[in-house]
Amino acid sequence: MRALSLLLALAACDAATERSVSSDGVRHARLLPPPPGAVARGAAAVRADLKQPRALSAAVGASGFRDFCAACHGAEGRGDGIVIRYGLAQPRPLQEVDRSPARTIAVITRGYRTMLPMAGQITPAERWAIAAHVARLPR
């Protein structure tokens, strides 16, 4: 199951990015334009995602983090996920960034730097559960 999650995460990354290596050996990723027929989500839709829905269990947050985040961020959010072995950029440890629920939800929804937006894969309620899980990760 874990291998399937990793393959899906890598496929999602490859589908929307173009990769290159500069002359100094640094790897770069660039987001590609959306596919034809894609519907853009406006700022109002993103703001609506920030309204806290009914609470979900801690198990939902832990499961969502494991399924969608741990491949890059690692099981404890230390930036040591398996994808760095395959040449993707190592994310900053979550212990070094703002882990407030609003910030975490905004990053999951819109993406950040090389992280792609996950609004299409993770429901707003699940984003809140994942944000609560991220806030509970060890420092």
Side-chain angles (χ1 to χ4, degrees):
M1 186 65 172
R2 206 168 231 180
L4 177 61
S5 296
L6 174 61
L7 288 173
L8 291 174
L10 291 174
C13 292
D14 288 340
T17 59
E18 179 178 85
R19 302 195 185 295
S20 63
V21 178
S22 63
S23 60
D24 58 355
V26 176
R27 295 173 192 255
H28 300 278
R30 179 176 69 89
L31 290 178
L32 297 174
V39 178
R41 289 176 39 113
V46 172
R47 279 193 300 277
D49 290 345
L50 294 178
K51 293 180 182 169
Q52 187 170 13
R54 64 179 176 77
L56 293 177
S57 71
V60 171
S63 174
F65 185 85
R66 184 185 65 243
D67 293 346
F68 293 104
C69 312
C72 296
H73 293 284
E76 293 185 351
R78 301 200 186 283
D80 57 353
I82 193 168
V83 298
I84 61 173
R85 294 183 199 163
Y86 299 98
L88 276 88
Q90 181 175 8
R92 283 179 50 199
L94 295 177
Q95 289 77 7
E96 296 177 6
V97 300
D98 176 6
R99 297 192 303 175
S100 67
R103 173 71 178 146
T104 302
I105 290 165
V107 170
I108 293 170
T109 303
R110 298 184 200 122
Y112 184 73
R113 295 188 181 167
T114 59
M115 180 181 158
L116 298 174
M118 299 297 287
Q121 291 89 352
I122 305 172
T123 68
E126 290 170 325
R127 286 178 233 161
W128 274 97
I130 292 170
H133 177 77
V134 167
R136 290 188 300 266
L137 289 174
R139 286 259 171 211

